[in-house]
Amino acid sequence: MTSRRTPLPRPSPLSTLSLWLSGSLPGFLSGPLSWLSRLWARRHLVSTDGGYLADDAPAPGSVRLQLNALQALCRQAFAVRLAAIAIGAPFAMTNATSGPSRYTVLAAAVLGVMGSYAMLRDWDRFGPRLLAHPSLMAVDLTFGAVLLLTASPASPLAYATVCTPLLAGLLYGWRGSGIFTGLQLIVLVTVYRAWQHHPGAGASTLLVAGFCVGAGIIGVTLRNLMFRFGTASQALSEANSRLAVAEAVESERARLAREMHDSVAKTLHGLALAAEALATSAAAGGADPHTLGQQATIVAGAARRAAAESRDLLSDLRRHTDLTSANTDVLSELDARVRAFESRTHLPASLHHRGERPVLPYATAHHVLAIVSEALENAYRHADATRVTVELDVSEAECAVRVRDDGTGLPPPVALDDLTRSGHFGLLGMVERAASLGGRIDLNRSPQGGAEIHLALPLSFAVPHLPPTPQEEAAHA
C-alpha cells in the first residue's frame, strides 16, 4: 500500500518574512510582526484548495460601474502618495550628503512624483500597464525606499509607503498584497536599522508597519466587495430582464386570447350554429328553398365576417407600436357598434350620452369598445333579453360606460380562476381589459331586472395624444 502525503499549506509572505527577521529584530518589533504573520496566515488558510487566490473575487468584465469605482480608489491612493512624497522630499534632501547621494535622492523624488502624477492624471493610459506589469509597482517601491532611507521613518515619507500595499490589494488581490506588503516591511526594517539610534524610530517603524498590513487587507477587501457586488448586480439585472421578458410574453398571450375570443371565436361559434340549422333544414322533408337560401346566406355572411376579423387580428399583430397614433372619438364608434349590433341581431339597442364628447387614444378606445361589444354579445346570447341600453357618462375625472339589459341577470358571483377553468373567458377578458387601463368592472343588476356591466375608467390613465407640433415634426424628420 502506498501512503498518501498531505500537502502542507503554502506559507504567506508575512510568515516567511517573520521567520527571516526573527533573529535580527529587537523584541518590541519581532512580537508584533509575528502576530501580524499569524493573522495573515489565518486569513489565507480559510480555504486551502485555491491558495492565495481562493478568496479573490473575479473581475466582472461587463460591470463598468464597479471598475470605475476601483479606478477612482486607485487614483485617490496615487493622489495621497503624490502629496506625501511632495511634502517629505525636502526631509530626504536635507539629510542627504552632497554628491551622488543627493542626486540619487533627487532622482528618486522626481521619478516618484512623476509616476504618481502620471497615474493620477492619465489612468486610462498607464493603469492597464500597471495591471499587466506588477514590476512597475516594485520599481516605484524602490524609489520610495531610497527616499525613506534618507528621510527617516518619522518623516511624512513613511506614510507614502502605506499606499503601496493599498494599491497592490486593489489591483492584484491577496497574492499581490501579500508580496508587496512583505517587500514594504523589508524596507521598513532596513530603514529602522539605519535609524535605530534615533529617538522614536522603533515606534514609528512599528506604527507604519501596522498601517501597511492594514492597508493591504483593506485594499483587497474593497476590491472583492466591489467585484462581488458587481457580479450580484449583474445577476439581478439579468434575472429582472428574464422576468420582464416572461411577463411581456404572458401579457401578449393574454391579449391574443382576448382578441381571438372577442372576434374570431365568437363569429365561428355563430357560424357553426348557422351551419347546423342549415343542415337540419336540409335534412327535413319538404324543406322550403327560400328558408334554405336565407340560412345559407347567414352561413356565408358569418364566414366572411370571420375572415375579415382574422385579417384585422393579423394586421394588428403585424402593426408596429405607434405612440403617436390618431385619437378615437369613442361616442361615434359606440354609436356605430350599437347600430351594427341591432341590425345583425334584431335586438333593440339604444345609446345615451351625458357630458363631454370623449376622445381617447387608440389603444384605450379599442379596449373600451371591446368591453362594450362583449357585454352586448352576452346580452344577446345568454340573457334572453328583449332590449339593451348603453349609457356613456363623461365627467372631469372619469369616463363611465354602462351596458344594461332586461334579461335573466348574471350568474352567481365567482372568482376569475373559476371563470378560466369553466371556459367563461368573456367576463375574464373584460376584467383584464379594464385593469390594463387602470379602471374596474362592476357586475350589478340593472333597474330593468337584468344585468348591468359598469366600466369606470379614470381619465388620468386615458390622456389623448396631442398632435405633434411643426417643430417636433421637423426634429423627427
Side-chain angles (χ1 to χ4, degrees):
M1 296 179 63
T2 59
S3 60
R4 184 177 180 180
R5 179 176 297 178
T6 302
L8 295 176
R10 187 176 180 179
S12 66
L14 279 180
S15 61
T16 305
L17 177 66
S18 177
L19 292 175
W20 180 71
L21 297 175
S22 59
S24 59
L25 288 178
F28 75 94
L29 280 180
S30 61
L33 282 179
S34 299
W35 176 80
L36 289 174
S37 66
R38 290 194 300 270
L39 175 63
W40 197 281
R42 284 199 300 269
R43 178 67 183 85
H44 286 283
L45 288 177
V46 172
S47 57
T48 59
D49 295 337
Y52 296 128
L53 298 179
D55 295 327
D56 278 338
S62 60
V63 183
R64 188 65 182 171
L65 179 62
Q66 281 67 35
L67 299 179
N68 289 338
L70 182 64
Q71 169 185 332
L73 286 176
C74 292
R75 295 182 64 181
Q76 291 175 6
F78 274 111
V80 173
R81 181 179 176 81
L82 175 62
I85 293 176
I87 295 173
F91 292 90
M93 293 296 297
T94 301
N95 295 331
T97 59
S98 301
S101 176
R102 176 163 294 184
Y103 290 121
T104 303
V105 172
L106 179 60
V110 172
L111 293 175
V113 169
M114 290 179 60
S116 299
Y117 179 77
M119 292 295 176
L120 176 64
R121 182 68 177 82
D122 199 359
W123 172 267
D124 293 335
R125 179 180 178 184
F126 298 105
R129 299 183 181 181
L130 185 62
L131 283 170
H133 304 286
S135 57
L136 296 177
M137 182 75 72
V139 174
D140 186 70
L141 185 146
T142 303
F143 295 151
V146 172
L147 295 175
L148 185 61
L149 185 63
T150 311
S152 83
S155 66
L157 281 171
Y159 298 97
T161 61
V162 177
C163 297
T164 300
L166 177 62
L167 288 168
L170 290 173
L171 296 175
Y172 310 124
W174 284 112
R175 176 178 293 179
S177 178
I179 292 174
F180 281 99
T181 301
L183 293 175
Q184 194 66 68
L185 292 179
I186 292 175
V187 171
L188 290 175
V189 170
T190 305
V191 173
Y192 167 75
R193 286 183 174 181
W195 294 86
Q196 60 183 343
H197 300 296
H198 288 71
S204 299
T205 303
L206 179 61
L207 181 62
V208 175
F211 284 162
C212 288
V213 175
I217 296 175
I218 290 173
V220 179
T221 303
L222 289 176
R223 176 182 185 272
N224 290 341
L225 282 177
M226 284 187 293
F227 286 170
R228 285 167 182 162
F229 177 76
T231 303
S233 299
Q234 181 180 1
L236 180 61
S237 177
E238 293 175 354
N240 289 336
S241 299
R242 289 193 295 268
L243 181 61
V245 170
E247 291 178 351
V249 171
E250 186 66 24
S251 176
E252 184 65 13
R253 291 177 61 184
R255 188 184 76 86
L256 289 177
R258 291 193 300 267
E259 297 296 337
M260 293 184 66
H261 174 273
D262 294 345
S263 58
V264 181
K266 193 176 301 181
T267 305
L268 291 178
H269 177 70
L271 176 62
L273 294 179
E276 290 177 357
L278 177 60
T280 302
S281 300
D288 184 11
H290 179 70
T291 302
L292 293 178
Q294 288 182 340
Q295 292 177 343
T297 302
I298 294 175
V299 171
R304 284 192 295 269
R305 188 165 61 252
E309 290 172 349
S310 299
R311 286 193 299 270
D312 293 339
L313 182 59
L314 292 175
S315 300
D316 184 68
L317 290 176
R318 291 185 175 275
R319 182 177 56 194
H320 296 287
T321 301
D322 187 5
L323 298 179
T324 61
S325 58
N327 300 317
T328 302
D329 186 352
V330 178
L331 182 59
S332 299
E333 292 292 332
L334 277 179
D335 184 66
R337 295 286 179 101
V338 170
R339 290 179 181 273
F341 170 79
E342 185 177 15
S343 175
R344 177 171 54 87
T345 62
H346 305 288
L347 179 63
S350 59
L351 173 64
H352 304 281
H353 167 240
R354 290 190 298 271
E356 299 180 357
R357 194 179 188 92
V359 178
L360 302 178
Y362 171 80
T364 304
H366 174 72
H367 287 301
V368 172
L369 295 173
I371 291 173
V372 173
S373 298
E374 177 65 20
L376 291 174
E377 288 295 331
N378 288 340
Y380 170 67
R381 295 178 182 275
H382 309 296
D384 294 330
T386 60
R387 184 171 185 81
V388 182
T389 303
V390 179
E391 296 182 358
L392 177 61
D393 189 0
V394 182
S395 62
E396 294 182 357
E398 187 180 71
C399 176
V401 182
R402 294 178 178 85
V403 181
R404 296 171 175 170
D405 63 66
D406 57 355
T408 58
L410 293 169
V414 292
L416 292 181
D417 292 339
D418 297 334
L419 293 176
T420 303
R421 286 192 294 266
S422 60
H424 294 85
F425 298 108
L427 291 176
L428 178 63
M430 287 193 291
V431 173
E432 289 179 346
R433 289 181 186 274
S436 67
L437 301 177
R440 70 180 189 278
I441 289 287
D442 293 328
L443 307 178
N444 304 312
R445 180 168 290 275
S446 69
Q448 292 83 6
E452 176 183 295
I453 309 297
H454 178 203
L455 167 64
L457 175 63
L459 292 181
S460 58
F461 287 85
V463 179
H465 296 295
L466 297 178
T469 62
Q471 293 81 4
E472 292 175 344
E473 291 181 352
H476 180 70

